[in-house]
Amino acid sequence: MKRAPKVCLDLTDGRRLTIALISDTGMRLSEAFGLVWDGINIQHHYLHINLTPHPWKSSKTASSERPIPIV
């Protein structure tokens, strides 16, 4: 199995970071784009994202409101 060249790992643009975020967390694309800094909790004993509805975007379902641990 070939390893990715280092140059691939050095590229960090918005599209790549968004793809990594949704693939690593299971978050929907619309949830990732609607993420705000207040939703990221680094003061808790485990780092996580709180997905909650916002005035500009409601939740799709009741299970859409959830904490997502960041590993």
Side-chain angles (χ1 to χ4, degrees), residues 21-70:
L21 178 66
I22 61 176
S23 68
D24 290 350
T25 62
M27 196 181 292
R28 293 184 191 98
L29 183 60
S30 62
E31 292 170 337
F33 283 142
L35 191 60
V36 294
W37 284 113
D38 291 342
I40 302 171
N41 191 337
I42 59 172
Q43 300 301 322
H44 200 266
H45 66 277
Y46 66 91
L47 188 64
H48 65 281
I49 298 170
N50 282 322
L51 288 182
T52 56
H54 301 289
W56 62 88
K57 177 98 170 84
S58 62
S59 294
K60 188 173 183 177
T61 64
S63 63
S64 294
E65 297 179 38
R66 64 196 186 279
I68 297 177
I70 299 176

